[in-house]
Amino acid sequence: MPASAHPLSVNQVAFIDDDEALREANIQALRLAGFEVLAFASAETALAALPDGFAGVVVSDIRMPRMDGRQLFVRLKARDEDLPVILITGHADVSEAVEAMRDGVYDFVAKPYAPDRLVSSVRRALEKRRLVLENRQLRTIADEARDDWPLIGQTPVMERLRATLRQLASADVDVLLEGETGVGKELAARALHAWGRRRDREFVAVDCAALPVQALDSELFGHELGAFNGAVRQRVGRVQQADRGTLFLDEIETLAPDAQGKFLRVLEEREITPLGSNRAHTLDLRVVAAAKGDLAEAVAAGTFRQDLFHRLDVVRIRIPPLRERREDVPLLFAHFLARACERLNGPQPSIDERVRWRLHNHDWPGNVRELGHYAQRVALGLADPAPPSIAEQPSLPARVATYEARVIEEVLAGCGGDVRSALKVLRIPRKTFYDKVARHGLDLDKHRRPR
């Protein structure tokens, strides 16, 4: 998530019922479940009080004087078509509530109901609301700060990355992102989504490493009511949730072998069949997958399906680690520091020698994420370790060797691993180049772009 788009706190429930006793009982149940409740005795007062873009969900009784729950829903939908509205109905109103759901009402709860039934519905609605608002926030950031986080940087490699992502965003093809932990793979995926035709639809991120094995099929592909013990209602899986939007598969290399086969079918057929269903659902989605390393190596090791790899490998983009674009470190740090101070409502601290030393000498193995965390610590005024003493600092030859290796790495990255182009930039003989590559232990294959 961009620095200015930290995860939203979506926990408010607007509860509307003209029956004071029922209203108070439901308010208590919702508050005990941890929700922040805004109570209203009429639809009119709720409409007047709720702001546009309300960061929560609305629960309303369907039978109320003057303006009923369905009329309230119509007015709210005109303001924000994505605002989840849950209707509470009597037994005689069930058919009306079902019809309202066809019009876009999120859910209905029939009286009498256990508090857990309402709490469960509200919790699911809030999660959907949070996702919608985060996507809106992402689009705003993309529109207002085109060269801002996550693609900030003035090095040639970052300029090419931005240009490539913009070109691919409009092409709407599946993309494989590769890069170390913390380089911003998910943020690059979000940029592809925000800059493409699917920007108004959902961006659904799936952390493959965190998927529960015992509920993997249900989580990804959904299930029908009664598909298995405990399936008390229909569930839409994460893959179907991304229909007409973007599905981001993070750490795809950790996906279980069985799930790899099922995803291969999704990619090839663009359809899924939920558990307990005989009907396949056709999907229109873009798939962006991300891996921490080279997926080809996982294929060679036998831990990743070769056919799935080739299906994912339509367009492959390598996100460079921070050590390959060190000139961007001060720029990124300044960006993170300004945002951190803004969130903390505090003055921006001066950058002393300890901070400068760390920015220029640290290798940032955690990449951009680590740099962002460091900026937050500086904004909080937490002391940084003092730089090494003169006696502990590297010798001049060691510093020169480190600098030389860094320059060669940057040129190779900029030339896509093409040695002939790198030699023209470096202006040194081929033999000298290979001697230096061997001396510094550089990996030429790492920088070669896939054909």
Side-chain angles (χ1 to χ4, degrees):
M1 186 68 62
S4 59
H6 47 283
L8 292 164
S9 176
V10 181
N11 197 45
Q12 289 189 322
V13 182
F15 190 90
I16 305 136
D17 197 325
D18 62 318
D19 187 317
E20 183 177 1
L22 289 175
R23 187 172 67 248
E24 290 302 321
N26 281 282
I27 290 170
Q28 183 177 14
L30 290 169
R31 284 177 176 163
L32 286 172
F35 304 122
E36 180 184 344
V37 184
L38 308 176
F40 302 97
S42 70
E44 293 89 344
T45 54
L47 271 177
L50 295 178
D52 293 342
F54 172 58
V57 302
V58 174
V59 181
S60 175
D61 190 31
I62 201 169
R63 292 294 176 197
M64 293 185 295
R66 296 183 299 278
M67 183 185 296
D68 65 24
R70 288 197 68 180
Q71 292 171 324
L72 172 63
F73 162 70
V74 171
R75 296 282 294 274
L76 291 172
K77 185 178 175 65
R79 285 188 186 178
D80 186 343
E81 63 177 0
D82 296 316
L83 177 63
V85 175
I86 300 169
L87 293 181
I88 296 176
T89 70
H91 179 72
D93 302 321
V94 170
S95 60
E96 185 179 0
V98 171
E99 185 180 345
M101 286 189 69
R102 295 194 188 102
D103 294 335
V105 166
Y106 179 78
D107 195 7
F108 73 89
V109 180
K111 300 175 184 176
Y113 55 87
D116 286 349
R117 169 69 177 89
L118 178 60
V119 167
S120 175
S121 182
V122 167
R123 187 166 284 124
R124 290 194 308 274
L126 282 170
E127 176 58 24
K128 178 181 179 181
R129 185 62 171 162
R130 182 192 63 79
L131 187 63
V132 166
L133 293 178
E134 283 187 357
N135 276 276
R136 287 181 183 175
Q137 192 176 52
L138 175 69
R139 290 195 295 272
T140 299
I141 291 167
D143 291 340
E144 293 180 353
R146 291 184 177 274
D147 288 338
D148 202 353
W149 172 255
L151 304 174
I152 192 169
Q154 297 176 332
T155 50
V157 67
M158 290 306 295
E159 291 177 354
R160 279 192 299 274
L161 177 61
R162 285 195 295 270
T164 299
L165 291 175
R166 286 193 180 280
Q167 183 178 2
L168 290 174
S170 58
D172 200 31
V173 296
D174 292 343
V175 176
L176 175 60
L177 302 172
E178 292 181 338
E180 300 173 5
T181 297
V183 295
K185 296 185 291 295
E186 178 174 347
L187 298 168
R190 288 183 178 273
L192 280 169
H193 176 79
W195 293 339
R197 68 174 178 85
R198 301 175 184 272
R199 66 177 66 89
D200 295 324
R201 299 297 176 178
E202 290 196 23
F203 176 93
V204 179
V206 176
D207 183 354
C208 297
L211 286 173
V213 177
Q214 66 276 14
L216 188 143
D217 284 353
S218 175
E219 180 74 20
L220 292 177
F221 308 113
H223 63 252
E224 297 294 326
L225 173 68
F228 51 85
N229 289 336
V232 296
R233 63 180 292 129
Q234 183 188 48
R235 178 192 177 99
V236 175
R238 302 286 282 166
V239 177
Q240 189 176 352
Q241 189 181 356
D243 189 25
R244 295 190 291 171
T246 300
L247 177 66
F248 175 62
L249 304 173
D250 195 16
E251 295 194 38
I252 185 74
E253 72 276 12
T254 66
L255 203 60
D258 181 54
Q260 290 181 30
K262 293 176 180 178
F263 260 123
L264 178 62
R265 177 173 176 79
V266 171
L267 290 168
E268 290 179 338
E269 306 296 335
R270 284 307 201 260
E271 65 177 30
I272 61 164
T273 303
L275 290 174
S277 174
N278 295 320
R279 186 170 67 89
H281 295 273
T282 302
L283 301 173
D284 169 23
L285 53 80
R286 177 185 213 166
V287 177
V288 181
K292 287 191 291 188
D294 188 342
L295 267 188
E297 294 180 2
V299 171
T303 60
F304 199 81
R305 291 180 61 132
Q306 187 175 39
D307 48 3
L308 178 56
F309 167 67
H310 289 307
R311 185 61 187 79
L312 287 168
D313 194 23
V314 180
V315 177
R316 197 187 324 182
I317 299 176
R318 177 177 175 269
I319 312 296
L322 206 48
R323 63 181 176 275
E324 290 181 13
R325 54 184 189 108
R326 297 186 70 93
E327 291 87 347
D328 288 333
V329 170
L331 182 64
L332 279 164
F333 176 78
H335 171 83
F336 286 133
L337 184 63
R339 293 295 174 89
C341 293
E342 182 180 330
R343 288 196 302 272
L344 295 168
N345 294 319
Q348 189 159 321
S350 59
I351 306 304
D352 60 23
E353 191 57 36
R354 293 176 300 175
V355 174
R356 290 193 185 92
W357 186 92
R358 186 175 181 84
L359 292 177
H360 287 94
N361 291 279
H362 188 56
D363 279 338
W364 305 105
N367 292 296
V368 179
R369 183 181 297 135
E370 181 187 0
L371 181 62
H373 292 166
Y374 176 65
Q376 290 184 51
R377 294 198 300 273
V378 173
L380 289 167
L382 301 178
D384 205 50
S389 65
I390 296 298
E392 295 172 325
Q393 292 184 22
S395 65
L396 179 59
R399 294 188 194 186
V400 171
T402 300
Y403 177 75
E404 184 177 72
R406 188 182 302 158
V407 170
I408 295 174
E409 287 260 41
E410 290 170 356
V411 171
L412 281 169
C415 296
D418 184 70
V419 172
R420 183 177 299 177
S421 300
L423 290 173
K424 289 180 181 178
V425 175
L426 294 169
R427 294 193 289 277
I428 58 176
R430 180 178 293 269
K431 182 181 184 305
T432 303
F433 171 80
Y434 280 110
D435 286 344
K436 292 181 183 296
V437 166
R439 185 185 314 136
H440 299 306
L442 304 181
D443 181 5
L444 295 178
D445 291 335
K446 181 177 70 173
H447 301 287
R448 291 197 174 104
R449 296 180 185 137
R451 296 184 182 277

